[in-house]
Amino acid sequence: MKKNCDQDSQLSKQIVKWYLKNGRSNLPWRKNVTAYRVWISEIMLQQTQVKTVIPFYKKFISRYPNLKALSSANEEEILALWTGLGFYRRAINIYKAKEIILSDFKNRFPKSFDDIVRLPGIGESTAGAIMSIAYQIPYPILDANVKRVISRYESVDNDSTHKSNKKLWGLSNKHTPRKNIFSYTQGIMDLGATICHNSKPNCGVCPLQDDCKSAFKVIKSKKETKKQNPTKKINFVLARSNCSFLLFKKLEESFWEGLWTPLELDPNHPLPWKDDIETIEEINIKHKLSHLNLDIKINIYEYEKVFKLKTNEKYKWVNKSNIDKFGMPKPIKSIIEKL
DNA sequence: TAAACGTGGAA
DNA sequence: TTTCCAAGTTT
């Protein structure tokens, strides 16, 4: 994916110039740039807005400032830092990748695109971003910002089809400059995020306005089929004793896999532990995932003392003061914090 | 290859 | 309120 034209494109030059003056240079991952820090930020930023990522990034880097610090982490610790950020497979893939970096690369972040793109959780675009930003070796990227900026600039479809993505990869490659790759890569994303918005782009202040083929006319994406997500009813039972809560690690599920939640149990099914119930409280919440609408009911049972279970499932009594040490879905953590 | 994968910001 | 969708990758 290296460019082969003789000169950097006009678009790239305009973006570099704009970035140096108007870029968001105070983002935490743009300081002390290392491959490790770029990697963590790029993973967190996948399908996630900058504003959401910042506190998670700071917390993660503060706990694991470099590869050496991360190398001794276990999966649970990484998941715990991911709680609330979503797409938890990303955290598991960070764990897997650091194990590979330790075993295959002597705990040094790999330098070549081919090695980087083979790491779990890193695809074409993230690998390109790491090469361009951390090592300043030109590679194209294709995130939502680049797609939007380039599709408008060139007036081509941006409808998430295979055909359109392929076309956009080609154009991204064409516009990726040989000079100033750091500023270009950051700049095109900043431009997409701060000026070339999805709705109501601020074309009047855009550095590309003279050449942009879609200036002042927003290309609508054509997604006709907007089928609704199915709703799934979930019944949880949550045993509690003072400040300890009985949680189970979810396995082989279509959502929240690897996270700690109360036990999922059919409404008419008896409790799999002693049912000399002290008190009951029922909590109902609705929660949207990317592909499901969850209708959650949690029945809470209060016990004098914690007890052991006869079960093959992985469970723990987690004290409220320790919930930060476990990977948990946002709504479950919120409920326990309020109890 | 289309669907799976979380959460919250913004209009 | 609802709907869209964001620094994508994996299977």
Side-chain angles (χ1 to χ4, degrees), chain A residues 37-54:
Chain A
R37 290 164 57 95
V38 173
W39 169 44
I40 299 301
S41 71
E42 289 298 328
I43 300 298
M44 287 188 169
L45 286 160
Q46 286 169 359
Q47 299 286 283
T48 313
Q49 294 183 333
V50 165
K51 191 173 179 180
T52 304
V53 166
I54 289 174

Side-chain angles (χ1 to χ4, degrees), chain A residues 88 236 250 255-259 261 287 289 294 296 329 331-332:
Chain A
Y88 297 96
F236 284 125
K250 268 173 84 74
F255 60 97
W256 293 344
E257 183 173 346
L259 305 187
T261 68
H287 184 80
L289 303 181
L294 299 182
I296 301 172
I332 301 300

Side-chain angles (χ1 to χ4, degrees), chain A residues 207-245:
Chain A
L208 307 177
Q209 58 181 289
D210 290 343
D211 304 320
C212 182
K213 293 199 175 93
S214 81
F216 303 105
K217 66 171 205 277
V218 183
I219 297 176
K220 296 286 286 181
S221 65
K222 49 175 180 185
K223 282 181 191 154
E224 313 288 342
T225 54
K226 45 187 173 186
K227 63 178 178 187
Q228 296 208 35
N229 285 335
T231 296
K232 182 177 170 65
K233 284 186 191 291
I234 311 252
N235 293 285
F236 284 125
V237 287
L238 176 57
R240 142 180 214 184
S241 179
N242 295 316
C243 287
S244 289
F245 296 87

Side-chain angles (χ1 to χ4, degrees), chain A residues 83-112:
Chain A
T83 292
L85 188 56
F87 284 146
Y88 297 96
R89 234 171 359 204
R90 296 183 293 178
I92 294 168
N93 280 333
I94 283 180
Y95 173 80
K96 289 178 180 165
K98 71 93 173 168
E99 292 287 288
I100 293 170
I101 293 169
L102 185 58
S103 62
D104 295 3
F105 298 99
K106 300 177 179 173
N107 216 21
R108 298 291 184 85
F109 201 90
K111 295 264 189 213
S112 78

Side-chain angles (χ1 to χ4, degrees), chain A residues 106-152:
Chain A
K106 300 177 179 173
N107 216 21
R108 298 291 184 85
F109 201 90
K111 295 264 189 213
S112 78
F113 179 91
D114 289 344
D115 287 338
I116 292 170
V117 80
R118 282 191 204 105
L119 294 171
I122 298 182
E124 293 280 317
S125 191
T126 299
I130 294 171
M131 292 303 292
S132 295
I133 296 169
Y135 299 139
Q136 306 199 26
I137 298 171
Y139 277 83
I141 63 173
L142 195 64
D143 68 331
N145 291 305
V146 175
K147 281 185 182 177
R148 200 163 53 248
V149 171
I150 291 187
S151 65
R152 284 172 172 165

